[in-house]
Amino acid sequence: MKSTCMKWSALPVLVLMAGTVVLAEDLGAQEPDEAQSGSSATAATPAAEPTPAAKPKPTVARRKENQQDRIAQGVKSGQLTAGETSKLETKEAALNRETKADRAAGGGKLTAAEKKQINGQQNQLSKQIGKDKHNASTQHYANNKVDQRRENQQDRVAQGIKSGQMTAGEAAKAEKQQKGINRQVAADRKANGGTLTASEKKQVNHEQNAASKNISHSKHNLKTQPQEQPKPN
């Protein structure tokens, strides 16, 4: 009887000791997580969503290329007339010369102030492109040989601008030449009730031959509009 009492009186002590061992094992198992997250409460808190990275601003070279692409699209679609394109390309050529001079003076690099100034000038040019492309002045081509050839010349210039085969200065000269031909054609048609005489057509065709040679020379000489190369990851 005495041994039975001792047996039952020792049972709570054994249960208490077993619970202590289990609790110690549980606490020991939590230590690695707490070391990574700081506390068990922090581990239970959902992680905040990562903030999207800010989109990097385009470089000077990339922005110049984008402006040329917009001009080329305007020439191709007829939204930009030869005169408008000539003015835009003249401004772009001047900006390119300024950038080149600044880089030459800075050992191939632009200072923060120079980048800011060029960006401001590109902002103005961008607004002008948008204005010219959406005003009432558009380049119209009729379904006749004279106008079709004018359109073909404009398409070739647009392709040269887009591909970088023509510099801004070369494109400006080509567009000035087209502007002069367009003015002549408009004046001749106005004087003849909307048509051209055989001699006028011959004269326009001769001038377009000269313009065509100039376009071809500009697209295949050593002068090109540098395209920005993708940076390695």
Side-chain angles (χ1 to χ4, degrees):
M1 184 70 175
K2 183 177 181 180
S3 61
T4 302
C5 291
M6 290 180 64
K7 178 180 178 182
W8 286 108
S9 63
L11 182 60
V13 176
L14 293 174
V15 172
L16 180 60
M17 290 177 63
T20 303
V21 171
V22 172
L23 180 60
E25 289 177 352
D26 288 343
L27 291 175
Q30 290 179 4
E31 287 178 1
D33 290 337
E34 291 174 359
Q36 293 175 13
S37 61
S39 68
S40 57
T42 304
T45 304
E49 294 184 2
T51 304
K55 188 176 181 179
K57 293 182 178 180
T59 63
V60 171
R62 173 60 67 185
R63 190 157 193 207
K64 178 176 67 175
E65 186 178 340
N66 290 344
Q67 302 282 50
Q68 290 298 99
D69 288 348
R70 292 175 63 203
I71 292 173
Q73 187 276 332
V75 174
K76 181 75 175 177
S77 66
Q79 291 175 288
L80 291 174
T81 65
E84 290 170 338
T85 306
S86 176
K87 290 179 181 178
L88 291 171
E89 288 294 336
T90 298
K91 290 181 179 179
E92 186 70 47
L95 185 54
N96 292 346
R97 286 195 299 269
E98 178 185 337
T99 303
K100 185 178 180 180
D102 288 342
R103 282 199 168 116
K109 295 183 179 180
L110 297 172
T111 65
E114 289 168 343
K115 288 180 181 178
K116 184 177 180 179
Q117 182 178 352
I118 292 170
N119 191 56
Q121 291 171 297
Q122 284 286 19
N123 286 343
Q124 294 299 318
L125 183 60
S126 179
K127 290 179 182 178
Q128 189 63 50
I129 294 172
K131 180 180 178 182
D132 289 346
K133 289 179 70 174
H134 297 94
N135 62 13
S137 300
T138 55
Q139 195 72 53
H140 296 289
Y141 302 105
N143 189 23
N144 58 66
K145 291 183 178 180
V146 171
D147 285 334
Q148 284 299 308
R149 188 158 193 203
R150 289 167 56 198
E151 183 177 3
N152 290 341
Q153 302 283 52
Q154 290 296 104
D155 288 348
R156 292 174 65 203
V157 173
Q159 189 276 332
I161 295 172
K162 178 77 174 178
S163 67
Q165 289 175 290
M166 297 181 76
T167 66
E170 290 172 335
K173 289 180 181 179
E175 288 300 309
K176 284 179 182 177
Q177 195 168 11
Q178 286 301 312
K179 181 181 178 181
I181 296 174
N182 294 346
R183 279 201 306 259
Q184 179 185 332
V185 171
D188 289 343
R189 281 181 171 151
K190 185 177 181 180
N192 298 321
T195 61
L196 295 174
T197 65
S199 61
E200 288 169 344
K201 290 179 181 179
K202 184 177 181 180
Q203 176 65 24
V204 171
N205 191 57
H206 176 74
E207 291 175 2
Q208 285 288 22
N209 285 343
S212 179
K213 289 180 181 179
N214 290 337
I215 293 171
S216 181
H217 175 73
S218 296
K219 291 177 69 174
H220 297 96
N221 60 13
L222 297 178
K223 296 179 181 179
T224 58
Q225 189 74 39
Q227 306 291 306
E228 185 180 48
Q229 299 297 321
K231 296 180 179 180
N233 294 329

